Amino acid sequence: SFNAASQFFLDIFTYWVLYSNLVPISLFVTIELVKYYQAFLINNDLDIYYAETDTAAICRTSSLVEELGQIEYIFSDKTGTLTCNVMQFRQCTIGGLQYAETVPEDRQAAGDNDTNGLYDFNKLRSNLAEHTSRSAIHHFLAMLATCHTVIPERKDEKSKIKYQAASPDEGALVEGAAMLGYKFVARKPRAVIIQIGGQEFEYELLAVCEFNSTRKRMSTIFRCPDGKIRIYCKGADTVILERLAQDNPVVDVTLQHLEDYATEGLRTLCLAMREIPDQEYQEWQQIFDKAATTVGGNRAEELDKAAEIIEHGFYLLGATAIEDKLQDGVPDTIHTLQTAGIKVWVLTGDRQETAINIGMSCKLISEDMTLLIVNEDNSTATRDSLAK
């Protein structure tokens, strides 16, 4: 009957598929030649050739060819992978006013205290001379120029200073401050020297509370040129805002600006400071020194606890916004991978709004997707929320 015949052919076909990896020895050479030729085609593929650096694809082993097409998930980091990792200081908000490098006409500020519009960096320089927020601007720029772990390098006296930064963010902030007239010129073991309007000022470095992923902030304590001790702190908005003093006039405005920056896909940092009375500093220094000389594995914890004691009662100066451009062709690539049925995951440490915005701009998230946002505090709540 017809069924038996079709079953017979199906069985033959199944056996053929099952035993297809049993290749007669005489065919091995042929198969290797085919694989080699496919590797040769990959190496000469113009679609995966990068003209800027004259780099072609390199297929290092011909046995990988048959693995192609088995990838189901791609996990990627965002910074440095999807983006160029070349940060540029674009905008900042100081004392409730926004300043930007380039101001689009429709966003220009009207009047002197317009909190919604943008002023250009020239206005920032003139405000530094006679505006009511000039002390906030001064501390904001001084902090960008001093509160960091960047090392300045110059070949000789006349050459331009090159900043060696552990993270590109820090480098961008220091360069931003230099562009606005607060130039970081030298670092000594216990001091940082900055140049303002041709004059050099020395900030005596008393202590550094370093940045880590749990603290999400970095603080430096300086004896400033005017003789007062100040703590400068920069970090994520969430950790800075909960450490502010009660009477902070610009918090709401700054928060609004942070939202705007995040929706533009910019990386943000909040800057805050306070003056420390000598007496309080002397007492704290003993705690800090004791933590710094702790022997054993919990030194980092002790240092974090010590930092926690002095990081409070801050006065909010403002926030910075840095741009990290997407690499060429990222949106098309992600879109193509998704069309091929590959699931793409991207990891980022940005604010939620920034992350969503960048997700949109690199076509990871499209308009017709359902966006699930899970912001639970613990694993059980997260599990329940996902189960729902």
Side-chain angles (χ1 to χ4, degrees):
S1 73
F2 171 74
N3 270 4
S6 63
Q7 190 61 45
F8 172 75
F9 280 109
L10 263 179
D11 290 353
I12 290 274
F13 185 70
T14 310
Y15 275 111
W16 184 63
V17 169
L18 286 177
Y19 288 121
S20 64
N21 54 353
L22 294 181
V23 179
I25 278 181
S26 56
L27 268 182
F28 261 110
V29 181
T30 320
I31 283 181
E32 282 305 318
L33 281 172
V34 168
K35 282 188 192 171
Y36 176 78
Y37 184 63
Q38 281 176 322
F40 173 77
L41 288 177
I42 289 174
N43 288 346
N44 290 300
D45 192 338
L46 280 178
D47 284 338
I48 39 183
Y49 163 75
Y50 188 54
E52 279 185 36
T53 53
D54 188 29
T55 315
I58 301 173
C59 185
R60 294 186 188 280
T61 149
S62 55
S63 61
L64 279 180
V65 174
E66 63 214 58
E67 305 283 326
L68 293 175
Q70 294 186 13
I71 295 169
E72 225 179 310
Y73 290 90
I74 290 179
F75 291 87
S76 163
D77 185 18
K78 182 180 78 83
T79 304
T81 309
L82 298 188
T83 63
C84 306
N85 215 14
V86 178
M87 316 275 181
Q88 282 181 317
F89 185 78
R90 284 279 182 248
Q91 297 190 15
C92 60
T93 161
I94 313 172
L97 301 181
Q98 293 187 83
Y99 303 94
E101 192 178 12
T102 47
V103 182
E105 278 190 17
D106 58 331
R107 295 280 317 273
Q108 272 177 358
D112 261 1
N113 289 318
D114 180 1
T115 54
N116 294 328
L118 290 178
Y119 297 95
D120 61 2
F121 283 159
N122 291 331
K123 177 73 175 166
L124 175 59
R125 294 184 187 95
S126 64
N127 277 359
L128 189 52
E130 82 278 274
H131 196 267
T132 44
S133 63
R134 67 171 179 267
S135 93
I137 298 177
H138 162 72
H139 286 301
F140 184 93
L141 294 175
M143 181 169 160
L144 289 185
T146 55
C147 176
H148 51 71
T149 55
V150 177
I151 293 161
E153 279 185 1
R154 48 162 51 153
K155 292 195 176 95
D156 51 64
E157 284 299 304
K158 292 191 180 78
S159 65
K160 203 167 173 264
I161 299 177
K162 211 169 160 224
Y163 295 120
Q164 297 294 342
S167 76
D169 289 76
E170 284 207 317
L173 291 175
V174 174
E175 278 164 16
M179 173 178 68
L180 294 165
Y182 280 60
K183 193 174 176 191
F184 168 51
V185 287
R187 180 186 284 284
K188 295 180 185 171
R190 307 295 309 155
V192 170
I193 296 164
I194 64 173
Q195 203 177 43
I196 307 169
Q199 254 183 310
E200 289 198 350
F201 293 91
E202 186 167 313
Y203 282 72
E204 186 191 339
L205 181 60
L206 302 175
V208 177
C209 307
E210 291 183 9
F211 180 93
N212 62 37
S213 54
T214 42
R215 279 166 47 76
K216 292 188 187 163
R217 62 190 181 279
M218 170 194 180
S219 300
T220 43
I221 300 173
F222 289 107
R223 188 180 288 281
C224 298
D226 62 2
K228 291 181 177 163
I229 297 179
R230 292 189 176 87
I231 176 166
Y232 285 151
C233 181
K234 65 176 186 192
D237 53 341
T238 45
V239 290
I240 300 282
L241 291 170
E242 61 193 34
R243 287 172 177 76
L244 295 178
Q246 290 301 312
D247 51 340
N248 257 296
V250 295
V251 174
D252 297 339
V253 181
T254 307
L255 271 175
Q256 183 53 52
H257 294 166
L258 282 170
E259 298 279 319
D260 297 347
Y261 296 152
T263 45
E264 284 178 48
L266 300 169
R267 299 162 69 90
T268 55
L269 274 181
C270 281
L271 279 66
M273 62 159 277
R274 78 178 170 103
E275 277 182 29
I276 303 175
D278 280 22
Q279 178 64 34
E280 183 189 347
Y281 173 70
Q282 300 300 340
E283 289 167 14
W284 178 79
Q285 193 187 9
Q286 291 169 352
I287 303 171
F288 184 73
D289 288 347
K290 193 177 162 198
T293 50
T294 309
V295 182
N298 57 356
R299 178 171 174 269
E301 273 174 46
E302 291 298 317
L303 280 170
D304 287 1
K305 279 184 205 157
E308 196 69 55
I309 297 169
I310 201 143
E311 291 175 330
H312 64 82
F314 285 137
Y315 173 75
L316 182 68
L317 294 171
T320 59
I322 295 175
E323 182 183 31
D324 188 8
K325 280 201 177 81
L326 280 179
Q327 297 207 38
D328 291 346
V330 165
D332 306 346
T333 309
I334 290 181
H335 186 66
T336 310
L337 290 170
Q338 286 175 337
T339 320
I342 296 174
K343 298 163 189 68
V344 184
W345 291 70
V346 175
L347 181 74
T348 171
D350 287 322
R351 283 183 52 138
Q352 195 166 293
E353 293 84 2
T354 313
I356 292 172
N357 184 275
I358 292 203
M360 295 274 189
S361 61
C362 70
K363 286 197 182 171
L364 183 70
I365 307 170
S366 60
E367 298 290 336
D368 52 356
M369 284 183 183
T370 319
L371 204 57
L372 286 181
I373 296 176
V374 183
N375 288 334
E376 306 300 342
D377 293 338
N378 50 41
S379 56
T380 45
T382 305
R383 188 186 293 118
D384 297 344
S385 167
L386 287 173
K388 274 195 203 118

